[in-house]
């Protein structure tokens, strides 16, 4: 039996309220305001809204529209480092709702405890991290398991991980010439008793693996030339990462240093994970993490953002690792299986829409959902909204994979009227260029799609 209509809770006049310019204030919260000049703005078309009253006492904040971003850009004034004269603390709590102020206070209380209650933190962050206090960096590190819930362990854990990352860089980012030089030095020191060992390596002492023309699997030079291809790909992708954001792009020393940090993280990851190495798109997943950690109000944490980002990136990717492994594409854990789960989820909650898209219009979910899933929605919404979506992804107790699929399903349901009225061409264009929407509404609908609803 085809479901003729969506549930009543999906329709509400609350979601049709016009955008409020005060929501632009949140663009200043976690970085200098100049960074807002580059936020990815989706298409100007708005999302279809529906007519019932969801059981929520207050409407969520309105979606950010491109015209508001333009006015924000005019107010930004960057200095030589690509930063702005305004600071994160310039955002007043007066722009927050009473519910957000209360949630912010509860989060600060939790973070001040010696042993943090992660269940309570997840519950609070699931509804979004308020913009009044720059605590997203600490919360994400907790949610990703990088920081233990015992605050007393933080200094030692951070020191150990940051030292280990430095060791990775020293070992993995070394040029083969330097490796050969060190091997030569070690060889001389180990054979001090032999006079002939005190000079430069003789031709006979150069092993097959140390020769630049060696094609052996164990050859450091052969590995170096193979790595060069990946490094060049990483360099190209990092250059294309959020090209409109001064934080990531431009000729300023600040932007250049951020780009170099992203490159090093991806190179180290590729070398430590030979089964996956580097796959295009990983730079887009890395960017939000580094952005948040680099803008940590704690100067020491900001300085060590590269190391912190590396470990959190590894942890985040572990939940989506199979999506990047080509050998697993057709397996039960690969990307095609994940897309099939999204299709089944849509069929379960809105069979009429599923039938129209996949049976009548022949719109294969892979045509649009591949990017949605592999890039964790970083390309479908502006940067600030992506951070808000990630708050939910990282904090949901059911895990990021299941949460991501629910959000993707909600994205389809929210524009069902336009999809039902469209054909293959118009629907594919719409799904590959998702319209701007109210993120709070989107996440509210996604939460309603749970198998086991939570309060």
């Amino acid at each position: 039996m085809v479901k003729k209509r969506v549930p009543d809770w999906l329709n509400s006049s609350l979601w049709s309220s016009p955008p409020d310019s005060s929501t632009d204030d949140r663009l200043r919260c976690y970085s200098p305001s100049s960074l807002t000049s580059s936020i990815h703005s989706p298409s100007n078309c708005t999302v279809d809204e529906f007519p019932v009253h969801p059981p929520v006492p207050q409407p969520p904040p309105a979606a950010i529209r491109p015209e508001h971003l333009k006015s924000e850009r005019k107010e930004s004034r960057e200095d030589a480092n690509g930063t702005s004269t305004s600071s994160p603390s310039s955002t007043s709590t007066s722009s927050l709702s009473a519910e957000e102020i209360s949630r912010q206070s509860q989060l600060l209380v939790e973070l001040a405890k010696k042993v943090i209650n992660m269940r309570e933190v997840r519950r609070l962050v699931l509804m979004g991290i308020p913009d009044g206090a720059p605590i997203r960096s600490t919360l994400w590190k907790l949610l990703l398991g990088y920081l233990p819930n015992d605050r007393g362990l933080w200094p030692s854990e951070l020191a150990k991980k940051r030292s280990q990352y430095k060791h990775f860089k020293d070992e993995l980012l070394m040029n083969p010439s330097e490796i050969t030089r060190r091997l030569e030095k070690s060889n001389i020191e180990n054979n001090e008793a032999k006079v002939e060992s005190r000079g430069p390596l003789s031709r006979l002492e150069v092993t097959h693996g140390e020769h630049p023309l060696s094609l052996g699997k164990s050859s450091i030079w052969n590995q170096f030339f193979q790595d060069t291809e990946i490094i060049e790909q990483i360099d190209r992708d990092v250059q294309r990462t959020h090209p409109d954001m001064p934080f990531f792009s431009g000729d300023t020393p600040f932007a250049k240093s951020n780009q170099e940090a992203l490159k090093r993280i991806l190179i180290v990851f590729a070398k430590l994970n030979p089964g996956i190495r580097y796959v295009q798109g990983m730079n887009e997943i890395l960017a939000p993490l580094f952005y948040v950690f680099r803008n940590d109000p704690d100067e020491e944490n900001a300085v060590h953002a590269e190391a912190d980002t590396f470990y959190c990136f590894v942890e985040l990717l572990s939940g989506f690792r199979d999506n990047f492994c080509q050998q697993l594409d057709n397996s039960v854990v690969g990307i095609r299986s994940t897309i099939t789960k999204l299709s089944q989820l849509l069929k379960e909650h809105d069979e009429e829409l599923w039938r129209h898209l996949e049976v009548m219009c022949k719109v294969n979910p892979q045509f649009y959902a591949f990017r949605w899933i592999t890039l964790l929605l970083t390309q479908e919404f502006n940067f600030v909204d992506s951070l808000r979506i990630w708050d939910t992804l990282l904090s949901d107790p059911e895990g990021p994979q299941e949460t991501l699929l629910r959000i993707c399903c909600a994205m389809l349901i929210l524009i069902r009227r336009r999809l039902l009225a469209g054909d293959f061409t118009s629907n594919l264009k719409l799904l590959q260029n998702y319209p701007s929407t109210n993120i709070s509404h989107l996440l509210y609908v996604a939460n309603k799609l749970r198998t086991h609803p939570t309060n």
Side-chain angles (χ1 to χ4, degrees):
M1 179 66 67
V2 176
K3 298 179 182 178
K4 299 293 186 182
R5 58 196 294 273
V6 294
D8 289 343
W9 55 261
L10 190 56
N11 305 300
S12 175
S13 59
L14 293 177
W15 312 117
S16 60
S17 58
D20 182 359
S21 60
S22 65
T23 58
D24 280 359
D25 291 339
R26 64 188 181 137
L27 295 174
R28 305 186 183 95
C29 290
Y30 294 98
S31 74
S33 63
S34 63
L35 304 184
T36 62
S37 63
S38 64
I39 292 174
H40 263 350
S41 298
S43 163
N44 289 342
C45 49
T46 56
V47 177
D48 294 337
E49 306 295 352
F50 299 91
V52 201
H53 301 284
V56 271
Q58 297 179 347
I64 294 179
R65 301 297 172 86
E67 56 266 25
H68 291 156
L69 296 179
K70 291 179 181 178
S71 63
E72 182 68 22
R73 294 189 187 107
K74 294 179 182 178
E75 296 174 4
S76 299
R77 294 294 183 269
E78 299 106 18
D79 59 20
N81 292 326
T83 56
S84 169
T85 55
S86 64
S87 64
S89 60
S90 63
T91 302
S92 171
T93 55
S94 61
S95 62
L96 302 177
S97 67
E99 188 271 338
E100 287 175 319
I101 293 175
S102 174
R103 190 174 349 124
Q104 172 184 306
S105 299
Q106 292 178 69
L107 282 169
L108 290 172
V109 169
E110 286 299 326
L111 291 178
K113 294 179 178 178
K114 184 181 185 302
V115 178
I116 298 170
N117 184 342
M118 289 305 302
R119 182 174 182 179
E120 181 65 10
V121 167
R122 288 184 180 279
R123 184 187 70 80
L124 293 168
V125 175
L126 189 64
M127 297 179 281
I129 299 174
D131 295 326
I135 53 178
R136 181 173 269 131
S137 175
T138 301
L139 289 170
W140 279 17
K141 291 174 185 176
L142 282 165
L143 293 169
L144 286 166
Y146 180 59
L147 288 177
N149 64 338
D150 187 339
R151 287 176 54 90
L153 299 176
W154 288 8
S156 59
E157 285 294 316
L158 289 174
K160 181 175 68 175
K161 292 292 181 64
R162 290 165 179 174
S163 175
Q164 186 179 44
Y165 179 71
K166 182 179 183 302
H167 174 73
F168 287 153
K169 289 196 298 180
D170 291 342
E171 292 296 318
L172 301 175
L173 302 182
M174 190 184 303
N175 187 288
S177 296
E178 176 64 17
I179 296 176
T180 302
R181 188 191 67 78
R182 292 191 180 188
L183 288 173
E184 173 186 338
K185 181 179 179 181
S186 175
N187 184 58
I188 293 174
E189 292 175 350
N190 292 335
N191 297 280
E192 287 180 338
K194 297 180 180 180
V195 177
E196 61 273 18
S197 318
R198 293 185 179 277
L201 283 175
S202 66
R203 182 178 180 83
L204 294 177
E205 290 176 313
V206 177
T207 65
H208 179 70
E210 296 169 15
H211 197 286
L213 299 181
S214 172
L215 297 178
K217 292 184 178 180
S218 62
S219 169
I220 57 175
W221 283 97
N222 184 35
Q223 186 63 51
F224 171 75
F225 292 129
Q226 290 182 16
D227 291 342
T228 298
E229 298 180 14
I230 295 178
I231 292 172
E232 290 176 350
Q233 182 64 61
I234 290 174
D235 182 68
R236 288 193 295 269
D237 289 349
V238 168
Q239 295 292 335
R240 293 194 290 258
T241 304
H242 297 290
D244 296 330
M245 292 184 68
F247 181 90
F248 293 108
S249 182
D251 296 326
T252 65
F254 180 67
K256 292 293 184 183
S257 66
N258 291 337
Q259 289 178 350
E260 291 302 316
L262 293 180
K263 292 177 190 176
R264 288 191 294 268
I265 293 171
L266 292 171
I267 293 171
V268 170
F269 177 85
K271 291 192 174 187
L272 289 176
N273 294 271
I276 298 180
R277 296 179 74 77
Y278 172 75
V279 179
Q280 274 191 290
M282 286 183 177
N283 59 304
E284 300 293 349
I285 298 176
L286 180 64
L289 291 170
F290 183 72
Y291 173 87
V292 169
F293 298 161
R294 185 66 180 84
N295 283 293
D296 193 306
D298 184 292
E299 186 175 348
E300 182 179 1
N301 287 335
V303 168
H304 291 96
E306 182 180 336
D308 297 348
T309 301
F310 169 76
Y311 286 103
C312 288
F313 176 70
V314 171
E315 181 61 31
L316 176 61
L317 218 59
S318 67
F320 299 95
R321 182 187 182 95
D322 295 337
N323 292 340
F324 290 93
C325 189
Q326 188 174 6
Q327 293 86 343
L328 297 176
D329 279 356
N330 296 314
S331 71
V332 294
V333 295
I335 182 62
R336 288 190 175 91
S337 175
T338 302
I339 293 175
T340 299
K341 290 179 182 177
L342 172 60
S343 175
Q344 293 170 345
L345 190 63
L346 177 63
K347 183 178 181 180
E348 176 186 347
H349 292 284
D350 194 340
E351 188 173 344
E352 180 185 11
L353 178 57
W354 170 84
R355 188 175 299 278
H356 179 78
L357 283 176
E358 299 192 27
V359 179
M360 297 181 63
C361 294
K362 305 295 182 182
V363 177
N364 190 320
Q366 292 187 33
F367 296 160
Y368 59 89
F370 184 88
R371 186 178 72 181
W372 290 9
I373 293 170
T374 56
L375 301 187
L376 307 188
L377 299 175
T378 56
Q379 300 300 291
E380 315 313 317
F381 303 95
N382 68 52
F383 194 77
V384 170
D385 286 343
S386 295
L387 299 184
R388 171 62 189 89
I389 290 173
W390 276 35
D391 290 343
T392 298
L393 283 179
L394 300 182
S395 61
D396 198 303
E398 291 188 11
Q401 182 79 275
E402 297 302 318
T403 308
L404 178 63
L405 291 181
R406 286 200 308 273
I407 294 175
C408 290
C409 185
M411 289 169 64
L412 295 169
I413 292 175
L414 285 187
I415 55 173
R416 72 185 307 272
R417 288 183 179 177
R418 294 175 64 175
L419 292 173
L420 289 173
D423 57 12
F424 173 86
T425 303
S426 62
N427 284 342
L428 188 59
K429 182 178 180 180
L430 179 62
L431 293 171
Q432 290 182 341
N433 299 275
Y434 196 81
S436 59
T437 188
N438 186 309
I439 298 302
S440 293
H441 182 200
L442 172 64
L443 296 177
Y444 169 82
V445 174
N447 187 56
K448 280 291 184 177
L449 301 180
R450 290 177 181 276
T451 304
H452 304 290
T454 60
N455 294 328

